Amino acid sequence: MAEAAESPGDPGTATPRPLMRDLKAVGKKFMHVLYPRKSNTLLRDWDLWGPLILCVTLALMLQRGSVDSEKDGGPQFAEVFVIVWFGAVTITLNSKLLGGNISFFQSLCVLGYCILPLTVAMLVCRLVLLAEQGPINFMVRLFVVILMFAWSIVASTAFLADSQPPNRKALAVYPVFLFYFVISWMILTFTP
């Protein structure tokens, strides 16, 4: 009742509440990905803020540090951004064509939020790369990337599995596997 008495034009009270509400919703969805279980929360309350934040963060971390980045052979920000969004759109269209009962934006939301483990893997790999290059360094990065790759697959299939007809689940999961594999490969092959 006290909220109704506040004036709608007051910038001190109106602005932070929707922002905090959205940040809390994104945080709850991150927790759903970190602890994947069969739940429709990610599907019911979809948004694209979390996937956008994760995609931008991953693209920035994959960015090379050289001044003339055209010659270093690494992915540029736009390339990573396009790969992530084009891949998610392609998987979503595949899901719809296979007869899935999930909306376009719900699928994009789930696929985008499930990049969180791979973003964590990229952060760990960047920290490991601060140490000396060597076989142990590579083995640690390989272990982390494989673990987070599996986590992304498990999290996304926990949310998307029930949206596909039973006889077409493998056809829907295979592109998801390829999508996260490409992102994992970019993370594993990154060298500063």
Side-chain angles (χ1 to χ4, degrees), residues 28-152:
K28 286 179 184 177
K29 289 177 184 132
F30 283 161
M31 292 309 295
H32 280 288
V33 172
L34 292 175
Y35 180 63
R37 58 194 179 277
K38 291 198 182 250
S39 171
N40 63 357
T41 303
L42 229 63
L43 298 175
R44 185 181 62 236
D45 302 327
W46 63 268
D47 68 66
L48 298 178
W49 286 114
L52 179 65
I53 292 167
L54 290 172
C55 181
V56 168
T57 304
L58 185 64
L60 286 173
M61 284 194 289
L62 281 169
Q63 191 72 26
R64 304 290 183 183
S66 67
V67 177
D68 189 13
S69 59
E70 289 291 323
K71 296 179 181 174
D72 66 8
Q76 299 301 309
F77 179 88
E79 292 170 346
V80 174
F81 201 81
V82 167
I83 287 171
V84 169
W85 288 103
F86 182 74
V89 167
T90 303
I91 292 169
T92 300
L93 289 175
N94 179 56
S95 174
K96 294 300 286 177
L97 291 173
L98 289 173
N101 59 358
I102 187 171
S103 80
F104 185 80
F105 290 111
Q106 286 174 329
S107 179
L108 285 179
C109 174
V110 169
L111 291 168
Y113 271 102
C114 289
I115 293 175
L116 177 63
L118 293 173
T119 306
V120 171
M122 184 65 215
L123 179 64
V124 170
C125 288
R126 290 286 304 229
L127 293 174
V128 168
L129 283 169
L130 293 176
E132 231 176 271
Q133 294 279 347
I136 294 176
N137 185 311
F138 178 75
M139 294 306 288
V140 168
R141 290 187 301 135
L142 179 65
F143 175 74
V144 168
V145 170
I146 288 174
L147 180 68
M148 295 304 178
F149 167 71
W151 197 333
S152 290

Side-chain angles (χ1 to χ4, degrees), residues 146-183:
I146 288 174
L147 180 68
M148 295 304 178
F149 167 71
W151 197 333
S152 290
I153 296 291
V154 168
S156 63
T157 54
F159 297 113
L160 297 175
D162 292 337
S163 68
Q164 295 298 317
N167 59 344
R168 296 183 178 168
K169 285 186 182 185
L171 291 172
V173 171
Y174 179 67
V176 174
F177 175 86
L178 288 177
F179 174 62
Y180 291 127
F181 179 79
V182 168
I183 296 171

Side-chain angles (χ1 to χ4, degrees), residues 1-6:
M1 287 288 189
E3 291 180 3
E6 295 174 1

